[in-house]
Amino acid sequence: IYTDARGFPQTEFNAALPWSKMIVLNPGVQTESVIATSLSGRLNCSIVNAQGQPVVTSSTTSIMATCTR
């Protein structure tokens, strides 16, 4: 589940790992989030800015990873 450009949650099912998606948020959208779950894999997540620098990182290496800003 991730925040789309309009600030609404979107879901992708059965995404192959490593998964990434580039979203350019509309003006006024302030919440950035990624929630990933897996039945067997170990996950981490991050949100990066336009320069490619991480702004939020989760390195729990568990079956669920959450990044929100």
Side-chain angles (χ1 to χ4, degrees):
I1 302 171
Y2 62 92
T3 303
D4 72 7
R6 298 174 300 150
F8 295 107
Q10 299 295 322
T11 303
E12 285 201 24
F13 295 97
N14 300 319
L17 299 176
W19 177 84
S20 67
K21 187 161 198 89
M22 185 167 104
I23 306 290
V24 177
L25 299 177
N26 292 346
V29 175
Q30 296 181 344
T31 301
E32 306 164 1
S33 68
V34 175
I35 301 170
T37 59
S38 172
L39 296 176
S40 60
R42 299 293 179 204
L43 304 172
N44 297 309
C45 68
S46 62
I47 297 173
V48 298
N49 62 18
Q51 293 75 38
Q53 302 164 324
V55 293
V56 178
T57 301
S58 170
S59 55
T60 59
T61 314
S62 66
I63 62 171
M64 184 174 182
T66 303
C67 291
T68 301
R69 181 176 95 143

